[in-house]
Amino acid sequence: MPARKLSEIGEFGLIGRIRDLFPAPEGVEGIGDDCAVLPQHSGRDTLVSTDLLIEGTHFLREDIPPYRLGWKSAAVNISDIAAMGGKPVATFLSVALPADLDASWMDEFLRGYADISGRFGVALLGGDTTASPDRICINVAVLGECPSGTARLRSHAQAGDRICVTGPLGDSAAGLKAILGGVERDADVQALIDRHYLPLPRVAEGLQLAATPGVHAMMDISDGIGSDLGHILEASGCGARIDVAALPLSPALQRVCARQGWDAAALAIGGGEDYELLFTCTPEAEKALAVPHTVIGTITAGTAIEWLGAGRSFHGFDHFR
Ligand code: ADP
Ligand code: MG
């Protein structure tokens, strides 16, 4: 086989290769969802996930205050438990740090990590610490739980389901664009940057949705719905019709996009790290839902995403492309 670069295979092509080599044991959900799901003897399932944050790829040390990085490192992992409809229980924190880093940087990092962990009652139970030649690297593993068989998988969408999100899309991507572009930080821009640096995992919403019959597939939005909805469709063997005009956009995003000439729909669809929940449910379940949400489209019997009102297609984030 000719040598191929990762940029040709793509992030998800590589994950597919790993998955082909390591099929999950019987009864276990392995690679492919927000968390692995391991059945326990006690009538509960254990949920496990892990996420990396690399300086220069996921954050700029000169811009993000360490408190916010600590918060975000725990938040994005807790969000993967929320995405399954589970209760987060514990994390493990591994760090690779340059030796000349100020100790106070780490104190602040841990304060942010502790604040969000405390907010969701999540214990820190271990990890690993090592030196890094220059960049800060952070890995968090998270454990959660749910009653047996109640985890909401990406593969559960059904034709006719409503497609819903729990909150506004695109704020985080616009915040990142403002940081990278050196945009002046008025109150609106700061609000978008706050959404980028201080995501709030939708744990209570996820638990409520998982307890609702008729709620089918669920995941959290980390790469943008252009990519993330694609994962639900691929896993479920369905298509989707999205009403671009129905995408929830915050007033701050709309104002900043109008001022900067940015395409709000492209940020909402192709930009990641909103950490809202994306879920599908029957029309009857949707009408009765107590969780605040916006309907953005319908699952179809096809295989592709139709973007109504856009005149083009959209893609989410891929680390190698
Ligand atoms: P998320 O955005 O929810 O963190 P990802 O898109 O990063 O999920 O990963 C998709 C799936 O692939 C997950 O089930 C994850 O556990 C798995 N995965 C990603 N990278 C690897 C890897 N290097 N080895 C094994 N599984 C992986
Ligand atoms: Mg996820």
Side-chain angles (χ1 to χ4, degrees):
M1 217 201 309
R4 293 176 74 197
K5 303 281 187 205
L6 290 179
S7 58
E8 293 170 64
I9 298 169
E11 176 186 354
F12 301 106
L14 177 60
I15 294 173
R17 285 183 173 202
I18 299 172
R19 179 157 57 171
D20 291 346
L21 284 172
F22 297 92
E26 187 68 30
V28 173
E29 286 293 330
I31 296 170
D33 222 298
D34 294 283
C35 292
V37 185
L38 292 98
Q40 303 297 327
H41 297 294
S42 59
R44 303 191 77 74
D45 290 342
T46 294
L47 307 169
V48 187
S49 181
T50 182
D51 257 319
L52 264 177
L53 291 97
I54 306 292
E55 180 179 349
T57 302
H58 297 94
F59 62 91
L60 298 171
R61 198 196 313 183
E62 57 277 18
D63 191 78
I64 188 167
Y67 176 95
R68 293 183 158 210
L69 186 60
W71 174 288
K72 187 166 179 175
S73 301
V76 301
N77 279 277
I78 292 170
S79 178
D80 275 323
I81 301 289
M84 309 300 290
K87 177 176 139 24
V89 174
T91 62
F92 291 75
L93 168 64
S94 299
V95 290
L97 303 169
D100 64 356
L101 190 68
D102 284 344
S104 62
W105 188 96
M106 202 53 198
D107 291 342
E108 276 298 292
F109 175 95
L110 291 172
R111 204 166 61 80
Y113 195 100
D115 277 357
I116 186 159
S117 299
R119 188 161 175 153
F120 291 103
V122 178
L124 172 58
L125 296 183
D128 199 12
T129 300
T130 178
S132 161
D134 47 20
R135 294 185 186 200
I136 297 172
C137 304
I138 298 151
N139 172 251
V140 177
V142 63
L143 272 84
E145 60 167 24
C146 64
S148 289
T150 62
R152 291 308 199 264
L153 305 181
R154 295 176 182 185
S155 56
H156 285 174
Q158 295 177 16
D161 277 358
R162 297 282 182 259
I163 303 169
C164 308
V165 291
T166 51
L169 306 178
D171 285 2
S172 176
L176 176 61
K177 199 170 163 70
I179 292 165
L180 296 177
V183 173
E184 193 191 329
R185 298 187 184 188
D186 62 12
D188 283 337
V189 171
Q190 195 55 57
L192 300 176
I193 291 175
D194 288 353
R195 287 267 295 169
H196 181 68
Y197 281 155
L198 297 171
L200 203 53
R202 302 298 180 202
V203 174
E205 293 84 346
L207 285 165
Q208 228 177 312
L209 289 166
T212 307
V215 173
H216 293 151
M218 186 154 72
M219 69 182 298
D220 67 336
I221 303 170
S222 56
D223 295 337
I225 59 165
S227 170
D228 290 333
L229 178 60
H231 296 318
I232 287 183
L233 301 182
E234 196 183 322
S236 302
C238 300
R241 200 175 303 120
I242 297 292
D243 179 4
V244 173
L247 297 173
L249 306 175
S250 73
L253 178 71
Q254 295 183 51
R255 284 192 295 263
V256 171
C257 284
R259 277 202 295 274
Q260 300 290 335
W262 295 348
D263 181 346
L267 287 165
I269 295 167
E273 302 203 292
D274 289 311
Y275 297 104
E276 295 294 344
L277 298 177
L278 170 67
F279 63 95
T280 80
C281 62
T282 61
E284 300 73 39
E286 190 278 319
K287 280 195 205 93
L289 267 187
V291 175
H293 65 282
T294 305
V295 179
I296 62 167
T298 307
I299 296 288
T300 66
T303 49
I305 308 181
E306 216 184 313
W307 301 98
L308 293 183
R312 66 185 180 107
S313 59
F314 297 91
H315 301 282
F317 187 75
D318 183 311
H319 267 286
F320 296 128
R321 287 182 162 149

